[in-house]
Amino acid sequence: MNLLLDTHLLLWAAGHPERLSAAATTLLLDPSHELLFSAASIWEVTIKRGLGRDDFQVDPRRFWRTLLTHGYRELAVTSEQTIAVGQLPPLHKDPFDRLLIAQARTEGLTLLTTDTLVTQYGEPTRLV
């Protein structure tokens, strides 16, 4: 299974694995799963760190390199994916989460999240 992780799951996996649920840990450690992160997540970390958000106090470049070093594959943002955001109902206001949902749908990925609002979009989201 190809798993796209939302930004908070990525932050926890990279720096606070104790915050991951048992279900998330099991999925992340399964060698048959390909783990992906979106360039949008690196963008989100960069912006929210700049705004002083306590939950985003990580160096974006170091975070990006850590993910690549640990075998995560980077998913670029495409025009097709950004257009797909416009087809989503307005259930969630966060533009980064909306882009992750559109990316998962467009690319046939499962989006792992801890955000119940994100899971209101249904497939291909999965609450962990």
Side-chain angles (χ1 to χ4, degrees):
M1 183 179 341
N2 294 329
L3 304 174
L4 178 62
L5 279 69
D6 78 4
T7 307
H8 275 100
L9 278 176
L10 287 170
L11 288 166
W12 296 348
H16 300 283
E18 70 280 359
R19 297 178 103 179
L20 295 170
S21 68
T25 301
T26 299
L27 289 167
L28 298 181
L29 293 177
D30 186 331
S32 69
H33 296 158
E34 182 174 17
L35 305 177
L36 295 96
F37 69 95
S38 172
S41 289
I42 304 303
W43 181 30
E44 180 178 12
V45 168
T46 301
I47 288 174
K48 292 184 178 177
R49 179 178 189 228
L51 294 173
R53 289 262 310 255
D54 288 339
D55 52 343
F56 287 88
Q57 291 306 309
V58 62
D59 177 79
R61 182 174 299 280
R62 187 173 182 189
F63 180 51
W64 170 64
R65 287 182 180 154
T66 298
L67 293 171
L68 292 173
T69 299
H70 285 91
Y72 287 76
R73 182 168 60 93
E74 183 174 358
L75 179 63
V77 176
T78 68
S79 295
E80 180 183 8
Q81 296 162 358
T82 60
I83 291 167
V85 171
Q87 299 168 0
L88 296 173
L91 303 174
H92 200 302
K93 302 279 188 238
D94 188 304
F96 298 105
D97 286 332
R98 292 173 58 81
L99 180 54
L100 293 176
I101 295 161
Q103 285 185 295
R105 286 185 175 183
T106 303
E107 303 303 319
L109 307 169
T110 299
L111 175 61
L112 297 183
T113 185
T114 59
D115 187 337
T116 56
L117 280 176
V118 170
T119 60
Q120 289 181 14
Y121 286 94
E123 289 295 324
T125 65
R126 183 168 174 182
L127 188 67
V128 291

